[in-house]
Amino acid sequence: MSDISDKRINRLREILSDREAVLITNEKNIGYFCGFFHSEGYYLLTREKAYLLVDFRYIEAANQKAHGCEVICFHKLSEDLLKILAENKFHYAGGDG
């Protein structure tokens, strides 16, 4: 990951508590943080980890272009997001939209 991306992510992480997450849905904002510019991506950032959720059509491109995050192919976005949030015991998720 580039130094610029590291700085961007770290600045956002500084305002999150241990159990908070932010969901980024805007294509430009997603690209700003992970380098994957596409309207079908969703970026979930926590203090410890980042996830890029994409549908099956974009999984290959996301794996090649995204950096600093785990790329996940979602099946039902809301269910998959809730599963990640529940597994990590997040109490709150904010967003950019």
Side-chain angles (χ1 to χ4, degrees):
M1 185 184 312
S2 73
D3 289 339
I4 293 172
S5 292
D6 283 342
K7 288 178 185 177
R8 292 171 179 166
I9 289 169
N10 288 334
R11 275 192 299 236
L12 184 53
R13 282 185 166 145
E14 286 174 4
I15 63 171
L16 296 173
S17 74
D18 289 340
R19 292 290 162 219
E20 289 181 324
V22 62
L23 178 63
I24 299 172
T25 59
N26 179 281
E27 170 184 357
K28 291 178 184 174
N29 292 340
I30 294 168
Y32 179 82
F33 287 105
C34 75
F36 181 71
F37 290 89
H38 202 280
S39 61
E40 295 298 322
Y42 301 86
Y43 185 77
L44 184 67
L45 181 70
T46 72
R47 283 189 66 96
E48 301 297 323
K49 198 162 181 183
Y51 305 87
L52 177 64
L53 292 97
V54 297
D55 75 19
F56 71 94
R57 298 172 294 173
Y58 306 104
I59 191 74
E60 197 171 315
N63 277 320
Q64 291 175 357
K65 295 185 179 192
H67 47 79
C69 57
E70 179 181 342
V71 177
I72 297 172
C73 181
F74 69 80
H75 302 285
K76 291 187 178 180
L77 178 61
S78 59
E79 289 179 13
D80 292 345
L81 279 171
L82 288 173
K83 181 179 176 186
I84 292 169
L85 292 171
E87 286 174 352
N88 292 285
K89 298 181 179 148
F90 292 116
H91 301 295
Y92 171 82
D96 70 347

